Every structure is written in structure tokens, then in C-alpha cells.
Amino acid sequence: MDVESGICQGNEDSGPSESGIKIPDRMLKREQDRLEDVERKKEAKNSQSVTEEKSGFFTATFSSEKATIEELLEGCSGATDRALATQTLEEVTTKTQLLQKFLNDSMVFLPQYELRQAQAALQKLQNSLAEKRDEILPKKKFAFRSRAANAPKVDPPAPPVTPKDSGRTKVDGAISPPEQCGFSHFEAQVLTKSGEEIKQQDVLLTHLTNCKVRLLGSPSTVHIKHVQNCEIFSGPVSSSVFVDHCTGSTLSFPCQQLRTHHTTDTQVYLHVTSRAIIEDCQGVRFAPFAWSYLGLDQDFKVSGLDRERNNWNEVDDFNWLALGTQSPNWSVIPETERRTEWDS
């Protein structure tokens, strides 16, 4: 009887058991924690497996489509049938647009290295397509010289932006080709590029003051550097827009990603399918993209951007790390203050 009493007293803080033997609470908690840990690891493994499966599917599909496009472009070399070559180029253009959209839709789960590799491969395809188009369907080339010649003369005259102008231009630390598409060193001018001039090229806009810039096409990438009191509107940009040292300006464009540095008192009317990032900025205000021009719908198709996905008000400030608190460096433009007249 004393033994039984001792057993009962020694297990007053124990949990129940189906066999009648009581298990200490600490052992029950330890087992519960172990089971929860096993479940967490299982979920993490399943999630990783799904991501790897998606990534593997992307790599196989992207490589296959890339090879098909390269084969079609190779078939255009030395073609004597102009009509057939034109038809092939149209097919390549369509396939390249679809591949761009496939990449845009897949970027949410792709590792950064694989994403950069795919973007570089796609850019190479787009450049090859532009070269083949110029080779097979040559057209009169547009040059900055003619644009500068048509501009009102000032005293002293602004230096013309030609391939000879200052040799080469640096873009984010790299040296660009002498015939970089874009505008440089203009003041109080209206500057326009058509879709034929842009043709999915990288565009550089630098050292502009009091200018109105209209890019009526779909660039691959846009660099905006050292601009003041300007209006810069662009058609859909396939990949990224980089803004650096921009003051008192209004920008409007759709893009995959926006990176903004050293920018103040600037309004951005944005359509972005990934994220907008600011760093070392103040007084940057955002609103949805609203500019329109003839051919915008087709340029959206060329860019591969998803018109239904717009994260214009999801902005990451790299200088503001307080979670759950709005950064003081950017804000949303109230609807009553948003621009409604675009070409006045």
C-alpha cells in the first residue's frame, strides 16, 4: 500500500497515459516539440522540392526555346528570299516576346544567379534579332546628328550628340559603345525617340536640364543619370530602369524593376512587375502609370511585361530598416494631385 502511495505521489505532475502509467509533462512537451520540428522540416523540404521542380522546368523550357530562336536566326543568314526572311524575323520576334514574358512570370521563384543568366541570354537574343533585322531589312538609320540639327540653335551651340561626341559614355561604371541610343547634354529641348530607333536597345539619358523626353517604343533597359527639372516618359521597358542623381523631375514608365539612387523631389508614375527600390533618396512620390501613346499596346507585347501585375506602391527603401513603419523618403501621390494632362 505504501509503495502504491509512493508511486502516486511521485507522479502528481505527470500527464495521463492510456496504459495507466503517467508520463512527466516535460517528456510530453519534449515529444511535442520534436514532432513540430519534424513537421517544419518536412514542409521546408516539400517547399524546396517544389521550387527546384519549377526551376528545373524553367531551365529546360528556356533552353529549348532559346535554341529554336537561335536556329531561326541562323537560317536567316545569307537568305535570298526577302519575303521568307521577313516572315522568319516576325516569327523570331513573336517567340522572343513570349520568352521574355515567360522569364518575367518565372522570376518570383528563380535563384538570382539563374535569373541573371537568363536575362543576359535573352538580351543577347534581342541584340541578334536587331542585327539580323538591320542586315536583311536595311532602313535609313537615325542618328543623333539629325536630331541636334533640327533643334533650335543657341549661342554657343550645344555639342551634337553623335558617335564622335566625347568618344564613349560610361554607364554604371561600364563603357558604352559610341553609338549609345539616347540623349546627352541637352537643355530646354523636346527630345523624342521612335520605336524604330529604340528597337529593344538600352537607352541612356544623361545630363539633361529642363527637357521633355518621349521614348515611343520598348527599350530593353533605361538609364537616367544627372537630370534636373525634366519630364521623361517611356514605353514599356523589358527589364530595369536605373535612376541616379535626378532632381525635380517627373518620370513615367512601365518596367520589370526600378532602382533609384540619389534622387530628390521627383514624381514617378510607375508600372512595375517586380519591385521598386530607392536608396539615398528624399521626396520621391509614386502613382500608377497613366501615360498613353499610339502603339502602347503593341509595345507592352514586345516588352513581355504583365499588364495585370503592378506593384507601383510597394517600394523598398534601403536606408529605412524600421519594419512596419513607413519610410519618410517616399510617399504616394494623392489622387487629387495626380497628373491628368500628359502632353501639354
Side-chain angles (χ1 to χ4, degrees), residues 19-34:
S19 63
I21 301 175
K22 295 185 177 182
I23 303 174
D25 288 344
R26 64 178 182 278
M27 294 182 64
L28 289 174
K29 186 176 185 305
R30 186 185 305 166
E31 179 66 11
Q32 183 178 359
D33 290 343
R34 187 188 69 80

Side-chain angles (χ1 to χ4, degrees), residues 1-15:
M1 186 70 178
D2 291 338
V3 175
E4 292 178 357
S5 175
I7 294 176
C8 290
Q9 289 176 1
N11 289 278
E12 285 181 353
D13 295 329
S14 302

